[in-house]
Structure formats: C-alpha cells, structure tokens
Amino acid sequence: MSRTALSDTGEWKLEFEDQDIRGFRAVDKDGGPVGTVDSMIVDTDQEMVSSIVLEDGTEYPAKDISIGDGVVYLTTVDTDAGGDVEESVRVYGDSGQVLRREAVEDADYEAHADAFRTHYDSSYGSAGGSYDDYDPAYRYGFDSAHTESNRNRSYVDAEDELRTGYGTDYADRDFDSDRDAIRYGYTRAQHATR
C-alpha cells in the first residue's frame, strides 16, 4: 500500500467537492472538540482516502469517522473491564453537540426500531404524519449499508447511489424529504456491523 497526502497527489481530485473535509472541526464521542482536520491520506493503490490527520498529527482511519455539515465525528469503541466491546451510535443536534448515545447490539433492523422511532420524533414528529410514513426510509438506509458494495463506505460516499436506488425502489417518495431518515438508518447499520 502506498500512502500519501491528498495535497501531494498532483492532479488527483476527490470525486465530489463535499468529500474534502480538510479544515473541518473534529469532535469526540461526547461532542467535545478534538481538533481540525489538517490532511487526508490517500491509499494510491486503492485510489481512496484511507485516513485523516488532525493538526496535532493524530491520524484516524477513514472507516472510523462520520461526516456531518462542517464537522467530522470520530467513531470510538468503548471497552469495559471485562474486555467486551460495546459500540454506540451518537445522535447529534443541529450544532453538532451530542444529544445522547445509543448502544448498538446487532445488525437486526427490528432491534433498532426504538432508536428509529426516537429519531423520527426528534426529526419529523412536529411535521405531522406518523413514524410508519418514514419506516421505509429508515429500512432502506439500514439495508443499503449491509450490501457488499456499501459495507465500508461512508454515507457521504454512497449518497448519490442511494438517491438513485431510492428513486427506483420508492418512486412515490422524495429522497430529499426522507434523507435524514435514510442517513440515520445507514449510519446506525454501519455501527452495528463494525
């Protein structure tokens, strides 16, 4: 594997402009500031970003980050004294603060129904309608993250394909209206399978 900073790759460019997270602030599992993304490291053999480096030199694998609007969320794994691993999904407010952490137990969609309902209440509940109206969007995001092609892809990297697939599978639904539910389902599934 050959690794180099994105800025040193000459003519190389990211596929989409919004994938360039250099300068984004990074926050930890509790929403606390960790630093700022200084560079992105490219695996030139795989032709993909393999990690990010903060301004203090700390490096994080790309698979362990989540990207928000101007914020990079660092995914963490907590271990208790017995050595068991418990992964969690963080639910963020509009300004990037962590509202709560939710334990992820397995990759079964129904096991996460309460989390999807809670997300619905905070994201869509005041708009009217019911959770059942958005259940297909949560399920689509969750199931899409389990496909072979998406297993190690961030939501940002997969979004264009998800948009196309959603339009095909749910022609009567609007991707942009359902985007938060799709993204939440996708992200939660990723944390459940890591």
Side-chain angles (χ1 to χ4, degrees):
M1 171 172 67
S2 179
R3 292 167 26 100
T4 187
L6 179 63
S7 58
D8 295 335
T9 56
E11 296 180 11
W12 282 36
K13 293 182 181 177
L14 295 168
E15 188 173 357
F16 301 102
E17 286 183 25
D18 66 353
Q19 293 174 321
D20 190 346
I21 59 173
R22 291 174 289 188
F24 279 29
R25 67 185 174 94
V27 297
D28 65 15
K29 65 180 182 177
D30 298 317
V34 175
T36 303
V37 178
D38 182 58
S39 64
M40 299 169 68
I41 305 300
V42 174
D43 176 341
T44 56
D45 296 334
Q46 297 289 319
E47 298 184 357
M48 61 185 281
V49 174
S50 62
S51 61
I52 63 167
V53 181
L54 302 186
E55 79 278 358
D56 68 357
T58 307
E59 189 169 339
Y60 293 91
K63 68 178 184 64
D64 291 341
I65 65 171
S66 243
I67 303 170
D69 188 18
V71 179
V72 174
Y73 304 107
L74 303 176
T75 305
T76 61
V77 178
D78 298 327
T79 57
D80 62 19
D84 294 326
V85 175
E86 176 190 281
E87 296 194 33
S88 63
V89 169
R90 287 151 312 285
V91 179
Y92 299 96
D94 292 336
S95 62
Q97 82 280 13
V98 174
L99 299 177
R100 64 187 174 281
R101 295 181 70 211
E102 300 170 350
V104 175
E105 297 165 1
D106 56 43
D108 177 37
Y109 178 81
E110 295 305 323
H112 303 282
D114 288 343
F116 295 136
R117 288 181 187 282
T118 299
H119 182 265
Y120 163 79
D121 288 340
S122 64
S123 298
Y124 299 105
S126 62
S130 73
Y131 168 78
D132 292 337
D133 296 331
Y134 288 89
D135 182 66
Y138 288 108
R139 183 177 292 275
Y140 177 79
F142 191 87
D143 291 344
S144 294
H146 286 98
T147 64
E148 191 63 36
S149 62
N150 289 333
R151 192 169 309 277
N152 294 311
R153 293 176 75 196
S154 70
Y155 174 84
V156 171
D157 289 342
E159 185 174 48
D160 286 342
E161 291 171 27
L162 294 173
R163 178 184 296 276
T164 301
Y166 196 67
T168 301
D169 293 351
Y170 299 96
D172 60 328
R173 304 284 307 176
D174 178 55
F175 181 88
D176 291 324
S177 297
D178 295 352
R179 183 176 182 267
D180 285 347
I182 295 167
R183 183 175 189 147
Y184 184 79
Y186 187 94
T187 303
R188 189 166 183 88
Q190 282 189 316
H191 288 271
T193 56
R194 280 196 183 154

